[in-house]
Amino acid sequence: MINLEVPKKAKTLINQARQAATEVFRPISRKYDRAEHSYPTELDMLAALLDGLNTSGEGGAGAAGVRRKDDKDTSGNRNGSNMLTVLGTIELCWGDVALLLSMPRQGLGNAAIASVANDEQLARFGKLWAAMAITEPGCGSDSAAITTTATKDGDDYILNGEKIFVTSGERADAVVVWATLDKSKGRAAIKSFVVEKGTPGFEVVRLEHKLGIRASDTAVLRFDNCRVPKENLLGSPEIDTKKGFAGVMQTFDNTRPLVAAMAIGVARAALEETRKLLAEAGIEVDYDKPAMAQHAAAATFLELEADYEAAYLTTMEAAWMADNRKPNSLQASMAKAKAGRTVVDITLKCVELAGTLGYTEESLLEKWARDSKILDIFEGTQQIQQLIVARRLLGKSSKELK
């Protein structure tokens, strides 16, 4: 059974994360939204604190992963690093999602390394700031269509290809790059490689200007005969047509609930700000009255809160299942799909309810509305998540249901 109360051991973490969001993120949120591509130096000290929380096993935000073989708890009912990281992420993104994405060593590449690296790789790469490079100019939501190649050459692999929309692609110390060992063998040949900055043949081509999450740098990367040691391949180098791609995709089972948590944090921020503005306008949200018996704005607000609760609970379920070593691919995609769509609906509707205050820079509502859209896109778009959910529920393969 899933206990819907926040775990007692998470309360200290949540309080610390909320304090960081309130005292660090919120005060500089507008500053770095305007100063796109400027690195928020205020985050360095906070990043060191999160490093300590992750190392101690207390959880932080962003970089945690599931190392199932190291999990000694077989009771079948525990709240571990995934749950704690999700709860911390919600609080920090209540402050500012772009600033969380700008945190050193808290990238999606770190989550991949934490989840699938072997002990030797974890020792080498565990303290690096790692970005994740999947999307290509001709390959978006269909990760299986990756064309970046990794050719074995002695004790190395030679990478060739281009990656786009890489979060922290310029700032990170390394990038987890998805590439194919053999295009003729399809999905099973796709593997992930850790490529460190400064490696010959690895180039940051440009930074993107974006609608939202402007504090976070988003880069285009090019790999031109980039030679990396074979020891930098995460997971098995064998091409297994039955489970090869599934092994790489398992990373998403951990990172998609994190993106859902980001969406939940932004949605809650928008709801709280809107409730305050409604109260100032004399509009009361009454939970003891039917929605139809209240002001139209209050009724709309109640609908948005209900949607938020549904997204929150699906995310908690996905994180709990990961902590309890239960397959959560379906739940991870459900959480990402629900939270991604919900945050967009909530932030846009909150802008509408707030009127002129929602559309100006007097409040952060307009910024949250811009930031929210990417949370419905990256780590698999809304449409891709629905497709994955449909496949899982109907028992169809990717060939049978496209």
Side-chain angles (χ1 to χ4, degrees):
M1 293 291 292
I2 299 176
N3 187 339
L4 300 183
E5 296 294 326
V6 172
K8 289 183 179 179
K9 69 176 181 179
K11 290 184 177 179
T12 299
L13 168 67
I14 290 173
N15 290 336
Q16 290 174 338
R18 172 56 73 99
Q19 185 176 2
T22 302
E23 298 181 8
V24 181
F25 282 11
R26 282 285 180 94
I28 63 175
S29 183
R30 183 68 70 183
K31 171 184 174 181
Y32 286 103
D33 182 62
R34 291 172 176 153
E36 188 173 12
H37 301 154
S38 297
Y39 174 65
T41 55
E42 294 92 337
L43 301 182
D44 288 339
M45 184 177 296
L46 183 58
L49 173 62
L50 289 181
D51 284 342
L53 289 173
N54 285 327
T55 301
S56 68
E58 291 300 316
V66 180
R67 299 185 66 76
R68 297 179 187 272
K69 65 175 182 159
D70 296 336
D71 185 0
K72 305 301 183 183
D73 189 329
T74 58
S75 64
N77 191 11
R78 66 189 300 268
N79 294 306
S81 62
N82 282 272
M83 180 67 75
L84 295 175
T85 303
V86 160
L87 291 170
T89 296
I90 290 172
E91 297 302 323
L92 290 173
C93 289
W94 173 91
D96 192 283
V97 64
L99 291 174
L100 172 61
L101 290 169
S102 300
M103 292 282 290
R105 298 172 298 283
Q106 304 301 320
L108 295 174
N110 289 101
I113 292 171
S115 297
V116 301
N118 59 38
D119 292 340
E120 184 274 331
Q121 290 172 328
L122 196 62
R124 278 195 294 140
F125 304 133
K127 294 185 179 181
L128 294 178
W129 182 0
M132 182 90 88
I134 301 175
T135 306
E136 300 178 355
C139 162
S141 295
D142 184 7
S143 301
I146 283 171
T147 59
T148 296
T149 58
T151 305
K152 187 74 183 298
D153 183 32
D155 291 334
D156 300 325
Y157 285 95
I158 300 176
L159 272 59
N160 282 284
E162 185 173 299
K163 297 292 184 179
I164 61 176
F165 301 131
V166 180
T167 301
S168 300
E170 181 187 48
R171 298 172 184 166
D173 304 313
V175 181
V176 176
V177 182
W178 286 29
T180 177
L181 300 182
D182 186 342
K183 290 182 181 180
S184 68
K185 295 187 178 179
R187 295 167 174 259
I190 295 175
K191 304 291 180 179
S192 56
F193 300 81
V194 178
V195 184
E196 297 184 61
K197 284 293 179 64
T199 303
F202 175 16
E203 176 188 5
V204 177
V205 178
R206 70 173 184 274
L207 297 179
E208 303 287 3
H209 294 279
K210 308 183 297 297
L211 170 71
I213 60 167
R214 291 177 179 169
S216 171
D217 72 310
T218 303
V220 175
L221 309 180
R222 182 177 296 136
F223 302 90
D224 184 6
N225 291 322
C226 179
R227 185 178 291 270
V228 297
K230 66 180 182 180
E231 292 81 10
N232 286 27
L233 186 154
L234 297 177
S236 171
E238 301 301 320
I239 299 176
D240 187 333
T241 56
K242 293 184 178 180
K243 60 180 292 186
F245 188 63
V248 176
M249 288 294 287
Q250 191 174 17
T251 300
F252 284 139
D253 297 346
N254 299 327
T255 57
R256 282 174 174 158
L258 291 182
V259 177
M262 294 176 193
I264 290 165
V266 176
R268 193 175 75 194
L271 287 170
E272 290 181 5
E273 178 69 12
T274 302
R275 177 197 286 276
K276 183 184 75 172
L277 294 174
L278 289 177
E280 291 173 356
I283 298 172
E284 180 186 1
V285 179
D286 192 335
Y287 293 94
D288 295 325
K289 289 183 180 179
M292 66 184 68
Q294 301 188 52
H295 190 286
T300 299
F301 186 86
L302 288 170
E303 291 179 10
L304 297 178
E305 274 200 330
D307 216 15
Y308 164 85
E309 289 290 340
Y312 174 81
L313 292 175
T314 58
T315 303
M316 293 301 103
E317 180 185 24
W320 180 87
M321 291 182 71
D323 279 335
N324 287 275
R325 298 183 294 176
K326 299 176 183 290
N328 73 331
S329 180
L330 170 63
Q331 289 75 16
S333 287
M334 289 174 66
K336 169 61 171 64
K338 178 61 178 176
R341 182 170 58 190
T342 296
V343 69
V344 174
D345 291 345
I346 286 176
T347 54
L348 289 177
K349 185 59 73 171
C350 285
V351 166
E352 181 181 324
L353 290 175
T356 56
L357 286 178
Y359 208 66
T360 70
E361 292 189 355
E362 291 185 40
S363 103
L364 289 169
L365 281 173
E366 63 83 26
K367 178 185 180 301
W368 294 331
R370 288 187 285 106
D371 288 345
S372 68
K373 187 56 188 175
I374 190 59
L375 300 173
D376 196 31
I377 296 174
F378 68 3
E379 287 293 286
T381 64
Q382 176 71 214
Q383 294 78 9
I384 287 296
Q385 302 307 328
Q386 291 183 11
L387 186 57
I388 293 171
V389 170
R391 287 171 181 163
R392 296 290 186 274
L393 293 178
L394 298 175
K396 302 288 187 182
S397 68
S398 57
K399 290 183 178 180
E400 293 172 316
L401 186 59
K402 296 182 179 181

